[in-house]
Amino acid sequence: MSVGTDLRRANSRVGRASHPGANFAKHAYPLWFYLPAGIIFLTLFIVPTVLSFYFAFTRWTLFDSWFIGFDNFVQFFREPSLIGSLTHTLVYGVLTSGLKVVLGMLLAVALTGPVIARGYLRSVTFFPVLLSSVGVGITFKVLLDPYHGVVNGVWSAVFGGDGPGWLTDPKLALYSVIGIDVWKGLGLATLIYIAGIMAIPAEYFEAARVDGAGFWKIFRTIILPLSFPATSTVIVLSLIGGLRSFDLIWTTTSGGPGWASDVIASVIYKQYQAGFYGLSTAGNVVLFIVVTAIVYPLSRWLNKREAEL
Amino acid sequence: MNQIRLSSRWLIGIIGILVTTVIFIIPFVFVFTMAAKDEKAAASLRFSWPENFRLWQNVADVFASRNHMLIRAFVNSGILTVCSVALMVVLGAMVAFVLDRRRSKLNPLVNGLILAGLIIPPAVVPTIWVMQTLGLFKTLVGLILIEVSYGLSFTILIMRAFVHTIPREIDEAAVVDGAGPLRLFFRVILPLLRSVIVTVIVVQSIFVFNDFQNPLYFLPGDANATVQLTLYNFQSQQRSSYNLLFTDILIITLPMLILYIFFQKQIVAGMTSGSVKG
């Protein structure tokens, strides 16, 4: 995550006197310590990733493969059921990330201020992070049931009439899942912001209060800029999670109704189930490109801005 | 002035308690009430206190259903979590240790691979192909190694920051006393990493135990399903008995909530380790 910090840290070490000498390092810190982890990681993660760039261009049965050029990608970008997943993935990633930044920051500000029952509030907002996506997905599917669900029961009582089909209306389904994702992940964002705000030296707040600054001024001039490292962590973490997300979508809507809430990760699974291994792998390559093209430059830019602060 | 601050303290607190209770606690209470109802009462999906409280009977039914499948699933998930987290800790600490201590030409490569492990989405079908070639597909050992390879990056990242705080003089003293690299690492360094190891164990256990996607791809089939998969399969097979479905959710959720009660500090430390950089 913190590429910039790591680089800086590495550079500062170059200047350190190496008095025990290179021989000591060779003896006490053998490079073969990398091997066990490296073998597992290379075999099961890096090799498949590299292979995906070949198999994405093939028709593939797992036993045989025929090179077919860009056909899988052409199909991916032409078929509405497949290309829609690309837009949904972007909407999902950006919205979950944005909502977690805004709501997480607000909650953290409230929970670091003078409030009663602070410990209770922190624990309660955090516990959904520990729940399994399958459990959360099934629970919300029942709560959001269009006819018998608790949510629409309240809706009818308050607004009258029938509530919306949260997970069954093609226009709403994706946004409902996004809402559930935020419900589940908000606690983590809040926690990161709380750590970030607590790390701001107390003198700043005291000085501001002595100068007679109100809450809004303190928020804008102290909390907002000085919790920037937390913001960049929340953005990057939730973007990586959001763009790759599969569990919640699969357990609530399975990408439906139709393909209204399909994301790339669920398309990969569907094509895999259907036996289109080449097409599924092409989806993987598209996801790889989407995630790295967004997250890598963004995290570098955020790190640079952090260093400037 | 003081009075205003005092009342705003209560006002925000009370609003906060109300809002969080509605948003976060009610779904959980709903799961509990559903789990305690009989089949007919649960079928209405209403939010009400069970008239006929039969939680224990439901728990017994869920465990007994389909040839004690849930017990087998808990055993599978237990083996998976314990083995993969143990491997992550030992192998990850070895990498973190050498990566922090020794300047070598490999370091940029290792750093690059760690970053890749954090960002890149795993390529599913090629992974299955590799596992099939190695005879690891649809085996628990295969899934353990998968969880290890996906969890290593995060583990190394947390551990390296901690290794950096252990003074090098300790290594030098141990080597002067005649310790080889293995003894230095396992007898001297690893014990010093205890607090960060607890953090890694708790956080990664939560990830592995709750994992749904990887068992779904790499360990399909009812015979060796994990708890998350049994829950998912249960949902599609027994649509009518909502009470048992929610009992299942409750049973599967509880271990992690209990973990949270005991290890709140470590969980918070591990999950926020990315934010406070230095």
Side-chain angles (χ1 to χ4, degrees), chain A residues 9 16 29 130 183 250 284, chain B residues 23 102 124 168 171 210 278:
Chain A
R9 205 185 280 156
R16 196 191 271 188
Y29 317 125
L130 308 172
W183 180 89
W250 196 251
N284 244 137
Chain B
I23 295 180
R102 181 165 174 179
V124 181
R168 272 163 188 258
D171 311 359
N210 283 340

Side-chain angles (χ1 to χ4, degrees), chain B residues 19-88:
Chain B
V19 173
T20 51
T21 303
V22 170
I23 295 180
F24 293 109
I25 299 288
I26 284 187
F28 194 74
V29 177
F30 177 73
V31 171
F32 181 79
T33 58
M34 287 290 275
K37 286 177 180 175
D38 56 42
E39 195 174 312
K40 220 177 122 206
S44 78
L45 306 184
R46 279 223 203 88
F47 186 46
S48 60
W49 193 251
E51 282 162 30
N52 177 10
F53 191 91
R54 41 173 286 146
L55 178 64
W56 307 118
Q57 185 56 45
N58 285 343
V59 170
D61 286 354
V62 168
F63 273 110
S65 72
R66 290 181 298 160
N67 279 326
H68 300 89
M69 169 98 116
L70 189 57
I71 295 177
R72 232 181 317 154
F74 261 108
V75 172
N76 284 333
S77 279
I79 296 174
L80 171 70
T81 310
V82 170
C83 292
S84 60
V85 174
L87 275 173
M88 266 182 233

Side-chain angles (χ1 to χ4, degrees), chain A residues 1-3 5-6 9 13-14 16 18-20 24-34 36-37 40-49 51-52 55 60 62-63 107 110 114-117 120-135 138-143 145 148-150 183 186 188 191-192 195-196 199 209 229-230 232-233 237 240 244 246-247 250-251 254 265 268-269 272 277 280-281 284 287-288 291-292 295-296 299 303 306, chain B residues 5 9-10 12-14 16-17 20-21 23-25 27-28 30-31 34 44-47 91 94-95 97-104 106-107 110 113 115-132 134 137 142 145-146 148-150 152-153 157 160-161 164 168 171-172 175 179-182 184-185 206 210-213 216-217 228 231-232 235 239 242 245-246 249 252-253 256-257 260 264 267-268 271-272 274-278:
Chain A
M1 218 70 38
S2 51
V3 209
T5 341
D6 292 340
R9 205 185 280 156
R13 200 165 307 148
V14 176
R16 196 191 271 188
S18 54
H19 64 269
F24 176 82
K26 244 180 221 164
H27 173 71
Y29 317 125
L31 288 177
W32 69 260
F33 270 33
Y34 289 149
I40 296 175
F41 187 76
L42 288 177
T43 322
L44 292 177
F45 185 75
I46 298 295
V47 168
T49 303
L51 285 177
S52 70
F55 285 120
W60 189 21
L62 282 184
F63 303 103
L107 261 175
V115 192
I116 55 159
Y120 164 83
L121 290 172
R122 281 189 194 177
S123 303
V124 166
T125 42
F126 183 70
F127 91 83
V129 174
L130 308 172
L131 305 179
S132 85
S133 314
V134 187
I138 295 173
T139 305
F140 271 94
K141 215 162 115 181
V142 171
L143 284 171
D145 186 279
H148 311 290
V150 172
W183 180 89
L186 183 59
L188 184 55
L191 203 67
I192 292 173
R209 230 164 271 142
S232 83
T233 307
L237 272 184
I240 293 176
R244 288 160 57 160
F246 169 80
D247 297 9
W250 196 251
T251 50
S254 305
I268 293 172
Y269 185 64
Y272 162 70
Y277 300 129
S280 170
T281 308
N284 244 137
L287 184 59
F288 172 94
V291 174
T292 34
V295 173
Y296 188 65
S299 75
N303 265 316
E306 233 171 87
Chain B
R5 280 188 53 197
R9 184 187 137 99
W10 278 84
I12 297 177
I14 288 169
I17 292 171
T20 51
T21 303
I23 295 180
F24 293 109
I25 299 288
F28 194 74
F30 177 73
V31 171
M34 287 290 275
S44 78
L45 306 184
R46 279 223 203 88
F47 186 46
L91 304 188
M94 285 167 79
V95 174
F97 175 56
V98 175
L99 192 61
D100 176 74
R101 292 298 205 246
R102 181 165 174 179
R103 263 180 291 125
S104 85
L106 279 177
N107 283 13
V110 176
L113 289 175
L115 190 67
L118 289 172
I119 295 180
I120 297 173
V124 181
V125 192
T127 309
I128 290 175
W129 185 77
V130 168
M131 291 175 83
Q132 221 161 34
L134 299 173
F137 185 49
L145 294 177
I146 285 284
V148 171
S149 63
Y150 296 170
L152 267 174
S153 289
L157 210 65
R160 186 178 43 182
H164 196 64
R168 272 163 188 258
D171 311 359
E172 285 154 27
V175 171
L182 280 176
L184 167 64
F185 177 74
I206 293 168
N210 283 340
D211 189 13
F212 170 61
Q213 194 173 7
L216 184 69
Y217 274 122
Q228 307 299 334
L231 178 55
Y232 180 72
Q235 172 207 221
R239 279 195 178 281
Y242 277 101
L245 179 63
F246 278 85
I249 295 179
I252 284 168
T253 310
M256 294 302 114
L257 288 184
Y260 180 50
Q264 195 165 5
I267 293 176
V268 168
M271 299 248 176
T272 54
S275 60
V276 187
K277 300 171 184 174

Side-chain angles (χ1 to χ4, degrees), chain A residues 126 188 191-192 195, chain B residues 154 158 195-196 198-200 203 263-276:
Chain A
F126 183 70
L188 184 55
L191 203 67
I192 292 173
Chain B
F154 184 60
I158 299 181
S195 71
V196 78
V198 174
T199 302
V200 170
V203 173
F263 293 101
Q264 195 165 5
K265 216 197 247 167
Q266 282 81 7
I267 293 176
V268 168
M271 299 248 176
T272 54
S273 57
S275 60
V276 187

